Amino acid sequence: MNTNHRLFLEIGIHFLNHLEMELNKDSKVIDAISLDGKTPREINSEIKKNLIDSFPELTSYPNPNFNLFLVWWEKNKFLYPYESFSLESYNIIFYYRLLSLRDWSDKSKQDFHNKTLEVFEKFDYKRPGFAVTDFLNYENNMRELLREIVLGMFEIDEKKAWELIYEQSRTYQTIVNEFFERILQDALNDSERLLHNILPKKIASELKTKNSVEPIHVPSATVLFTDFKGFTQLSEQMSATQLIAELDECFSIFDSIIDLYGLEKIKTIGDSYMCAGGIPEFSNTHTVDCALASLQMRDSMNLLYDRKTRENKPYWKVRIGFHSGELTAGVIGQKKFSYDIWGDTVNTASRMESSGIPGEVNVSASVFEVLDPFFVLEPRGRIEAKNKGKIEMYILKGLRKRFQNVDQSLNQSSNDTSQEFKTFSKLGNSDFWNLYEKLKNGAKISRRKT
């Protein structure tokens, strides 16, 4: 009989003895639902049956003079008594461990590896007090107990037997490390995604590297605000669930649009949505990018408004306004981080929105100077703005005719109110985007009326 088979039988009888003790535990321990909707009784009975069916000689093998698993349990200093806890998960792994030890083939080793990972996938590793080192220590204790079994065996190559046990133990610990390193990496990836949902990628990287973010002065950026006229009154006619669903639909549309044009979402407050261009990365096109985004925001909300009113449902009109100028950007908060912007540009942009016309895009004179070569803007004259006095304002109507691509414009799509706004394409034809590239590279585009 070779060393592997001798080891298998010697350890196998200990395992069989343990399974019988498992099945004699109190019904409260072994008849509750466990893995895959089965009870510990069902799982352990199946393991015992497979073990005996495959290796009937175990039934006539001398019983061990001690309970390997009880001693192992005590060495691990588990909180619960051995009798009050079922080890069905570990028993599954140990069964495949025995098969691998006996066969010592590539297939049996791979089966042991795969089954261990499969069981680990179902383990509650998020429970309080859990540590990966515990698993490794448990295996160290089992390996030493198996070594004692080897030392008590007669007519066996102890060196080879120990090498087999040690190699298999190290393999198991490698699997443990592999699994929990993957879990850790998944957690880190989730953390990265969460951080990037809260902060711009560049800012998140700085925060991770330096544990802080220096506020910066931005010489030129564009800040855009939206809100909904009549939101407060209409919200009183909706259930909380309906209200959140309606806002989520609107803000999800805005998210998709600003992603298309490379803008940075700053925050939402109630029914107000705030984003900006030219931060945190410098851009020569931030005003044009905000203009394109605002037109698609406007058209999307106007289509939604038309659809809802035809269905006799209460809805709101969107107001959009933006302004360009210098500002300060930075991160505030110690526990809940927030990327935010400050300065007169932000305040003026807010006034562009609040002084705007429902269903339209309202912009300042500084924005007009940049957009005039590309877009049609209607002057409103000097309009009173809260705490600002009278400010020159313009209504942004759309791209100039020679830059339009009518097939891409939502408000020129035959009033297709079945559009679900799941995808958006950029406004503008090739002539426009050729000029845009020049602007992006620092060119100054002269004003030209068409």
Side-chain angles (χ1 to χ4, degrees):
M1 189 182 297
N2 65 29
T3 301
N4 290 71
H5 199 75
R6 282 284 313 278
L7 268 178
F8 165 79
L9 290 175
E10 195 69 31
I11 299 172
I13 194 61
H14 278 276
F15 185 48
L16 182 58
N17 177 256
H18 160 68
L19 289 172
E20 289 170 348
M21 292 194 70
E22 286 271 272
L23 292 169
N24 284 323
K25 289 179 178 177
D26 190 275
S27 176
K28 292 180 180 178
V29 176
I30 61 173
D31 288 324
I33 298 299
S34 180
L35 291 175
D36 299 326
K38 295 181 179 179
T39 65
R41 186 192 298 277
E42 291 172 323
I43 295 170
N44 291 328
S45 295
E46 185 178 346
I47 295 171
K48 180 184 175 183
K49 182 179 184 302
N50 291 339
L51 189 65
I52 293 175
D53 287 350
S54 301
F55 315 105
E57 66 261 48
L58 282 173
T59 58
S60 58
Y61 207 79
N63 281 324
N65 55 13
F66 72 98
N67 184 328
L68 169 65
F69 288 81
L70 176 57
V71 175
W72 174 71
W73 186 271
E74 292 171 348
K75 285 179 73 71
N76 291 333
K77 298 180 180 179
F78 290 121
L79 295 176
Y80 306 101
Y82 173 72
E83 296 78 13
S84 67
F85 197 88
S86 177
L87 289 165
E88 69 277 3
S89 298
Y90 189 73
N91 295 337
I92 294 170
I93 294 172
F94 204 88
Y95 173 70
Y96 280 87
R97 179 179 192 154
L98 278 176
L99 296 182
S100 176
L101 180 63
R102 187 204 62 171
D103 297 341
W104 210 250
S105 63
D106 290 340
K107 182 181 182 306
S108 65
K109 291 177 182 178
Q110 190 61 48
D111 288 344
F112 173 45
H113 181 278
N114 293 343
K115 184 57 68 170
T116 301
L117 288 178
E118 181 184 318
V119 171
F120 281 179
E121 290 285 356
K122 301 167 185 175
F123 177 74
D124 182 16
Y125 52 83
K126 295 180 181 178
R127 67 187 185 190
F130 171 75
V132 178
T133 53
D134 292 341
F135 267 69
L136 302 178
N137 289 333
Y138 301 157
E139 176 55 26
N140 289 339
N141 290 334
M142 177 57 77
R143 184 175 65 228
E144 291 308 309
L145 288 171
L146 295 179
R147 184 178 188 180
E148 290 179 20
I149 291 175
V150 169
L151 295 175
M153 294 174 67
F154 298 103
E155 297 180 1
I156 190 170
D157 185 338
E158 290 182 0
K159 183 175 182 295
K160 182 178 179 182
W162 169 241
E163 287 174 352
L164 291 171
I165 288 173
Y166 185 81
E167 181 180 339
Q168 191 176 61
S169 177
R170 296 302 296 170
T171 297
Y172 175 77
Q173 291 184 320
T174 299
I175 297 171
V176 170
N177 283 324
E178 173 190 327
F179 177 76
F180 287 105
E181 281 174 6
R182 195 185 80 211
I183 293 297
L184 177 60
Q185 187 59 54
D186 289 345
L188 289 172
N189 291 341
D190 288 343
S191 177
E192 287 277 308
R193 282 192 291 272
L194 179 60
L195 190 59
H196 289 157
N197 281 337
I198 298 171
L199 302 174
K201 187 174 182 180
K202 178 182 178 181
I203 302 302
S205 298
E206 183 180 347
L207 182 63
K208 287 191 301 179
T209 303
K210 301 179 180 178
N211 205 31
S212 64
V213 177
E214 288 292 326
I216 61 168
H217 173 258
V218 181
S220 179
T222 299
V223 182
L224 182 151
F225 282 90
T226 79
D227 86 341
F228 299 116
K229 179 175 174 55
F231 172 81
T232 302
Q233 293 83 357
L234 288 173
S235 65
E236 294 172 355
Q237 304 175 36
M238 300 180 181
S239 68
T241 301
Q242 183 186 2
L243 178 64
I244 295 302
E246 296 286 2
L247 276 179
D248 182 64
E249 180 179 27
C250 296
F251 289 165
S252 295
I253 290 171
F254 292 171
D255 287 346
S256 297
I257 291 171
I258 70 167
D259 282 348
L260 186 65
Y261 293 107
L263 305 180
E264 187 65 42
K265 181 178 181 179
I266 305 300
K267 58 187 171 185
T268 62
I269 303 175
D271 64 318
S272 178
Y273 186 100
M274 178 185 181
C275 63
I279 58 167
E281 301 287 351
F282 171 78
S283 165
N284 285 316
T285 60
H286 54 79
T287 307
V288 173
D289 296 329
C290 279
L292 294 168
S294 70
L295 291 173
Q296 287 195 282
M297 288 175 166
R298 177 200 67 187
D299 294 346
S300 299
M301 292 301 101
N302 286 346
L303 278 176
L304 270 178
Y305 177 83
D306 291 342
R307 184 175 73 187
K308 298 287 186 179
T309 52
R310 273 196 294 271
E311 296 170 354
N312 293 318
K313 294 179 181 178
Y315 212 63
W316 40 65
K317 277 275 191 178
V318 69
R319 274 194 308 242
I320 305 172
F322 62 94
H323 173 65
S324 298
E326 63 179 354
L327 53 80
T328 299
V331 172
I332 56 173
Q334 294 297 319
K335 294 182 179 179
K336 292 186 177 181
F337 299 111
S338 174
Y339 182 68
D340 212 340
I341 53 179
W342 303 270
D344 186 66
T345 296
V346 179
N347 298 331
T348 303
S350 177
R351 297 295 176 258
M352 288 299 111
E353 174 271 308
S354 61
S355 303
I357 300 171
E360 299 287 358
V361 180
N362 194 44
V363 302
S364 63
S366 65
V367 168
F368 170 82
E369 293 298 325
V370 176
L371 297 186
D372 189 42
F374 309 98
F375 296 87
V376 175
L377 298 102
E378 291 182 356
R380 296 182 66 198
R382 294 173 63 79
I383 306 294
E384 187 72 32
K386 183 178 179 181
N387 298 328
K388 286 286 180 182
K390 291 189 175 183
I391 305 177
E392 197 75 31
M393 297 185 190
Y394 297 80
I395 295 297
L396 173 63
K397 303 303 291 184
L399 283 165
R400 291 188 178 278
K401 189 172 182 179
R402 73 187 187 96
F403 295 132
Q404 290 179 8
N405 185 336
V406 293
D407 293 335
Q408 293 177 317
S409 178
L410 273 175
N411 65 345
Q412 295 176 332
S413 59
S414 303
N415 291 318
D416 179 14
T417 55
S418 65
Q419 161 76 321
E420 293 298 328
F421 311 112
K422 291 181 180 178
T423 59
F424 292 90
S425 57
K426 291 183 176 181
L427 299 178
N429 58 22
S430 58
D431 289 341
F432 169 78
W433 287 104
N434 287 336
L435 276 179
Y436 179 92
E437 283 300 313
K438 293 179 180 179
L439 183 66
K440 183 178 178 180
N441 293 325
K444 301 295 182 183
I445 309 298
S446 59
R447 296 172 60 179
R448 178 181 174 184
K449 304 293 184 182
T450 58

